[in-house]
Short mmCIF file of all heavy atoms in Angstrom, two decimals:
data_model
loop_
_atom_site.label_atom_id
_atom_site.label_comp_id
_atom_site.label_asym_id
_atom_site.label_seq_id
_atom_site.Cartn_x
_atom_site.Cartn_y
_atom_site.Cartn_z
N TYR A 838 -0.48 35.58 3.12
CA TYR A 838 -0.75 36.55 4.14
C TYR A 838 -0.76 35.78 5.51
O TYR A 838 -1.23 34.63 5.62
CB TYR A 838 -2.15 37.25 4.01
CG TYR A 838 -2.24 38.57 4.67
CD1 TYR A 838 -1.84 39.76 4.08
CD2 TYR A 838 -2.65 38.65 5.95
CE1 TYR A 838 -1.87 40.96 4.80
CE2 TYR A 838 -2.78 39.88 6.71
CZ TYR A 838 -2.32 40.98 6.04
OH TYR A 838 -2.41 42.21 6.65
N TYR A 839 -0.13 36.42 6.53
CA TYR A 839 0.03 35.74 7.82
C TYR A 839 -0.48 36.59 8.92
O TYR A 839 -0.48 37.81 8.83
CB TYR A 839 1.45 35.32 8.09
CG TYR A 839 2.37 36.37 8.41
CD1 TYR A 839 2.68 36.70 9.75
CD2 TYR A 839 2.92 37.26 7.46
CE1 TYR A 839 3.54 37.71 10.12
CE2 TYR A 839 3.76 38.34 7.79
CZ TYR A 839 4.05 38.47 9.13
OH TYR A 839 4.91 39.61 9.49
N TRP A 840 -0.86 35.94 9.99
CA TRP A 840 -1.20 36.61 11.26
C TRP A 840 -0.42 35.92 12.36
O TRP A 840 -0.44 34.65 12.41
CB TRP A 840 -2.76 36.48 11.55
CG TRP A 840 -3.59 37.16 10.61
CD1 TRP A 840 -4.12 38.44 10.63
CD2 TRP A 840 -4.04 36.59 9.34
NE1 TRP A 840 -4.87 38.65 9.54
CE2 TRP A 840 -4.84 37.59 8.71
CE3 TRP A 840 -3.86 35.36 8.69
CZ2 TRP A 840 -5.45 37.34 7.51
CZ3 TRP A 840 -4.50 35.13 7.47
CH2 TRP A 840 -5.28 36.14 6.87
N ASP A 841 0.20 36.57 13.24
CA ASP A 841 1.16 35.94 14.18
C ASP A 841 1.09 36.88 15.51
O ASP A 841 1.51 38.04 15.40
CB ASP A 841 2.54 35.92 13.65
CG ASP A 841 3.56 35.12 14.48
OD1 ASP A 841 3.12 34.59 15.58
OD2 ASP A 841 4.62 34.95 14.11
N THR A 842 0.71 36.30 16.62
CA THR A 842 0.65 37.17 17.81
C THR A 842 2.09 37.35 18.38
O THR A 842 2.95 36.52 18.19
CB THR A 842 -0.18 36.48 18.88
OG1 THR A 842 0.35 35.24 19.29
CG2 THR A 842 -1.64 36.33 18.50
N LYS A 843 2.26 38.45 19.04
CA LYS A 843 3.56 38.82 19.62
C LYS A 843 3.69 38.09 20.99
O LYS A 843 4.77 37.84 21.46
CB LYS A 843 3.70 40.27 19.94
CG LYS A 843 3.91 41.06 18.70
CD LYS A 843 4.35 42.51 19.21
CE LYS A 843 3.52 43.58 18.56
NZ LYS A 843 3.83 44.84 19.02
N ASN A 844 2.58 37.94 21.68
CA ASN A 844 2.61 37.47 23.05
C ASN A 844 2.10 35.99 23.18
O ASN A 844 1.47 35.50 22.26
CB ASN A 844 1.69 38.37 23.90
CG ASN A 844 2.12 39.80 23.86
OD1 ASN A 844 3.22 40.08 24.15
ND2 ASN A 844 1.23 40.63 23.51
N ASN A 845 2.47 35.37 24.26
CA ASN A 845 2.01 34.03 24.50
C ASN A 845 0.48 34.07 24.77
O ASN A 845 -0.10 35.15 25.05
CB ASN A 845 2.77 33.34 25.61
CG ASN A 845 2.48 33.94 26.97
OD1 ASN A 845 1.37 34.38 27.29
ND2 ASN A 845 3.50 33.98 27.76
N LYS A 846 -0.14 32.98 24.71
CA LYS A 846 -1.62 32.90 24.75
C LYS A 846 -2.19 33.44 26.04
O LYS A 846 -3.16 34.18 26.11
CB LYS A 846 -2.07 31.44 24.58
CG LYS A 846 -3.50 31.24 24.32
CD LYS A 846 -3.80 29.83 23.98
CE LYS A 846 -5.21 29.61 23.57
NZ LYS A 846 -5.53 28.26 23.31
N PHE A 847 -1.46 33.20 27.17
CA PHE A 847 -1.90 33.63 28.45
C PHE A 847 -1.92 35.14 28.54
O PHE A 847 -2.92 35.75 28.99
CB PHE A 847 -1.05 33.07 29.61
CG PHE A 847 -1.51 33.49 31.04
CD1 PHE A 847 -2.68 32.95 31.51
CD2 PHE A 847 -0.77 34.41 31.70
CE1 PHE A 847 -3.06 33.38 32.83
CE2 PHE A 847 -1.14 34.81 33.00
CZ PHE A 847 -2.33 34.26 33.46
N VAL A 848 -0.85 35.85 28.10
CA VAL A 848 -0.83 37.34 28.06
C VAL A 848 -1.93 37.85 27.13
O VAL A 848 -2.67 38.76 27.48
CB VAL A 848 0.55 37.76 27.59
CG1 VAL A 848 0.49 39.34 27.38
CG2 VAL A 848 1.58 37.44 28.69
N ALA A 849 -2.11 37.18 26.07
CA ALA A 849 -3.14 37.56 25.07
C ALA A 849 -4.54 37.52 25.70
O ALA A 849 -5.40 38.35 25.53
CB ALA A 849 -3.10 36.76 23.79
N LEU A 850 -4.81 36.45 26.44
CA LEU A 850 -6.09 36.30 27.14
C LEU A 850 -6.29 37.33 28.15
O LEU A 850 -7.48 37.88 28.22
CB LEU A 850 -6.18 34.91 27.80
CG LEU A 850 -6.41 33.69 26.88
CD1 LEU A 850 -6.31 32.39 27.64
CD2 LEU A 850 -7.72 33.81 26.19
N ILE A 851 -5.29 37.75 28.82
CA ILE A 851 -5.44 38.90 29.84
C ILE A 851 -5.76 40.19 29.10
O ILE A 851 -6.63 40.87 29.53
CB ILE A 851 -4.15 38.94 30.67
CG1 ILE A 851 -3.96 37.81 31.65
CG2 ILE A 851 -4.13 40.26 31.57
CD1 ILE A 851 -2.71 37.72 32.40
N LYS A 852 -5.07 40.45 28.03
CA LYS A 852 -5.32 41.65 27.28
C LYS A 852 -6.74 41.65 26.71
O LYS A 852 -7.37 42.67 26.62
CB LYS A 852 -4.30 41.78 26.14
CG LYS A 852 -2.87 42.10 26.74
CD LYS A 852 -1.94 42.52 25.65
CE LYS A 852 -0.65 42.96 26.30
NZ LYS A 852 0.22 43.60 25.30
N MET A 853 -7.20 40.49 26.29
CA MET A 853 -8.57 40.36 25.74
C MET A 853 -9.58 40.69 26.88
O MET A 853 -10.56 41.42 26.59
CB MET A 853 -8.89 38.97 25.17
CG MET A 853 -8.32 38.78 23.77
SD MET A 853 -8.85 37.17 23.12
CE MET A 853 -7.35 36.35 23.00
N ALA A 854 -9.37 40.18 28.04
CA ALA A 854 -10.26 40.46 29.11
C ALA A 854 -10.27 41.88 29.51
O ALA A 854 -11.32 42.51 29.69
CB ALA A 854 -9.87 39.57 30.38
N THR A 855 -9.11 42.52 29.53
CA THR A 855 -8.94 43.98 29.81
C THR A 855 -9.73 44.77 28.78
O THR A 855 -10.41 45.74 29.05
CB THR A 855 -7.45 44.38 29.86
OG1 THR A 855 -6.80 43.54 30.87
CG2 THR A 855 -7.27 45.81 30.20
N ALA A 856 -9.54 44.42 27.49
CA ALA A 856 -10.23 45.14 26.42
C ALA A 856 -11.68 45.04 26.58
O ALA A 856 -12.46 46.01 26.32
CB ALA A 856 -9.74 44.56 25.12
#
Side-chain angles (χ1 to χ4, degrees):
Y838 203 87
Y839 75 100
W840 298 263
D841 189 359
T842 62
K843 286 193 228 176
N844 301 305
N845 67 37
K846 194 173 184 181
F847 181 70
V848 172
L850 285 173
I851 290 171
K852 288 188 177 194
M853 280 187 244
T855 302

